[in-house]
Amino acid sequence: MPTTTAVDIYDEIEALKVREDAAILAHYYQDGEIQELADITGDSLKLAREATKITNRTIVFCGVHFMAETAKMLNPEKRVLLPDMGAGCSLSDSCPAPALERRQNQLRAEGRRFQTVTYINSTAAVKALSDWVVTSGNAEEIIRRVPDDVEILFVPDRHLGQYLIEVTGRPMILWDGSCMVHEVFSVGDLLRLKRRMPESLTIAHPECPTNIREQSEFVGGTEAMIKYVARYEAPTDFLVATEANMLWQLEAKVPRHRYHPVPGVTCACNKCPHMARNTLEKLRDCLAHGTPEILWQPQFERAAEVLRRSLLDPSAK
Ligand code: SF4
């Protein structure tokens, strides 16, 4: 039950949305109270695609910095606001553009022919150095588009890269990056939960390490998780290995099941501290004051081209 203060903030945000002609987009890893207010919720792929269809003048992106940046790249004419400009991403930070450029130059100096396939959790400068940008929702399909006689440099997530090697059979040169949230799931705790609930099914995000994926009945991005649990008619216990706010979305979309978070080694809840920087108060304030705003940067031009051909053009080669 929301408190009076929360109800007041909901009303304020709804009024500001109308005043500012704004649409709110929220990632599945945002707090449930923010997802509830959003016009569109989704994973990175869905939100990037939906952002191109919005007719409002302003997009408020409740997610982390690279996601809001992506929305701006695909909508240069719109005002894109991010409630907290400090909402970063450990995975994106693990691949700085100058380091990627050095690695690419090294491979070229060795005479190797390769294409750079980049997970969307990356800065605009890294996307601008890439041939393709993928999400967990379309990575397999894009990798199959890379010609067989060309190597693949996959950045920045080594766990997702390893998973893609397994499902596509395609060897890849992997960058050594990872997400701080998905890295810490405890396989010991998962096995204990499975012993306690032998009928349960485990669903894991492909950013999880191999030892968690190996113990899972299903591996897929957040959008794919929703489709997977919806296939089960009878109420089922699902053990969920991804950011803990995803449980809110699963409960909202497919409420007949019970969902249990897989605990982490260092934290029982597995909430992303970067996503958690966005709050209802900051959402209200950014709408009220029109800031923080994602401003257009010169490197967005090339990054936007790569994004468009990867996410919006199914015929691109
Ligand atoms: S959950 Fe991981 S990949 Fe997603 S924003 Fe947080 S740190 Fe980045």
Side-chain angles (χ1 to χ4, degrees), residues 152-167:
I152 294 176
L153 169 61
F154 186 84
V155 305
D157 191 338
R158 66 171 185 274
H159 298 305
L160 176 61
Q162 183 54 43
Y163 169 72
L164 292 167
I165 290 173
E166 289 161 22
V167 295

Side-chain angles (χ1 to χ4, degrees), residues 29 64 88-91 121 179-182 207 272 274-275:
Y29 293 169
V64 294
C89 167
S90 64
L91 183 51
N121 297 37
C179 155
M180 61 188 288
V181 177
H182 290 91
E207 286 175 29
C272 173
H274 307 292
M275 292 276 182

Side-chain angles (χ1 to χ4, degrees), residues 261-305:
V262 175
V265 177
T266 52
C267 163
C269 68
N270 290 318
K271 289 209 173 181
C272 173
H274 307 292
M275 292 276 182
R277 291 180 74 120
N278 294 321
T279 60
L280 283 180
E281 288 76 10
K282 289 180 192 170
L283 170 54
R284 173 199 58 201
D285 293 348
C286 86
L287 267 169
H289 307 301
T291 182
E293 180 180 357
I294 304 285
L295 298 173
W296 184 264
Q297 309 284 327
Q299 70 266 28
F300 285 11
E301 200 88 45
R302 159 78 189 144
E305 259 177 55

Side-chain angles (χ1 to χ4, degrees), residues 11 128 185-186 195 202 220 286 311 313:
D11 289 345
F185 286 111
S186 158
R195 272 198 297 276
T202 303
C286 86
L311 304 188
D313 179 3

Side-chain angles (χ1 to χ4, degrees), residues 40-256:
I40 302 167
T41 54
D43 65 358
S44 301
L45 179 61
K46 181 176 170 198
L47 291 177
R49 285 179 172 157
E50 292 294 327
T52 63
K53 300 178 196 156
I54 284 167
T55 52
N56 304 72
R57 198 173 61 87
T58 296
I59 294 173
V60 184
F61 206 108
C62 296
V64 294
H65 187 270
F66 76 81
M67 297 176 180
E69 214 179 41
T70 301
K72 180 69 184 178
M73 286 182 241
L74 296 173
N75 296 278
E77 74 295 346
K78 292 202 193 300
R79 183 172 66 149
V80 176
L81 305 175
L82 175 64
D84 188 322
M85 199 51 108
C89 167
S90 64
L91 183 51
S92 170
D93 291 347
S94 67
C95 185
L100 173 59
E101 206 167 6
R102 275 196 300 280
R103 182 74 177 119
Q104 290 174 321
N105 288 337
Q106 189 188 23
L107 290 169
R108 285 186 197 109
E110 290 169 13
R112 292 165 73 169
R113 287 179 62 233
F114 65 94
Q115 291 189 0
T116 304
V117 178
T118 297
Y119 191 31
I120 196 165
N121 297 37
S122 53
T123 61
V126 164
K127 289 184 178 84
L129 289 169
S130 307
D131 298 283
W132 301 97
V133 172
V134 301
T135 70
S136 50
N138 75 343
E140 281 181 57
E141 180 233 322
I142 296 274
I143 281 166
R144 294 185 207 282
R145 287 201 232 170
V146 178
D148 286 342
D149 57 347
V150 172
E151 287 189 90
I152 294 176
L153 169 61
F154 186 84
V155 305
D157 191 338
R158 66 171 185 274
H159 298 305
L160 176 61
Q162 183 54 43
Y163 169 72
L164 292 167
I165 290 173
E166 289 161 22
V167 295
T168 62
R170 189 82 189 255
M172 295 196 273
I173 308 160
L174 300 182
W175 192 267
D176 191 19
S178 62
C179 155
M180 61 188 288
V181 177
H182 290 91
E183 178 106 300
V184 298
F185 286 111
S186 158
V187 74
D189 285 341
L190 171 58
L191 293 175
R192 259 189 294 283
L193 272 177
K194 280 165 100 71
R195 272 198 297 276
R196 219 183 321 133
M197 289 183 269
E199 303 299 317
S200 64
L201 299 173
T202 303
I203 55 177
H205 195 280
E207 286 175 29
C208 291
T210 310
N211 62 354
I212 295 292
R213 285 190 277 106
E214 279 172 354
Q215 299 298 332
S216 303
E217 277 73 30
F218 176 77
V219 177
T222 47
E223 211 61 53
M225 281 181 180
I226 296 171
K227 287 193 188 124
Y228 178 77
V229 302
R231 297 210 307 250
Y232 288 82
E233 289 302 331
T236 305
D237 286 291
F238 285 100
L239 311 180
V240 185
T242 191
E243 211 272 357
N245 281 311
M246 184 61 196
L247 271 74
W248 185 91
Q249 186 62 226
L250 289 165
E251 278 158 4
K253 291 253 170 71
V254 195
R256 62 181 171 275

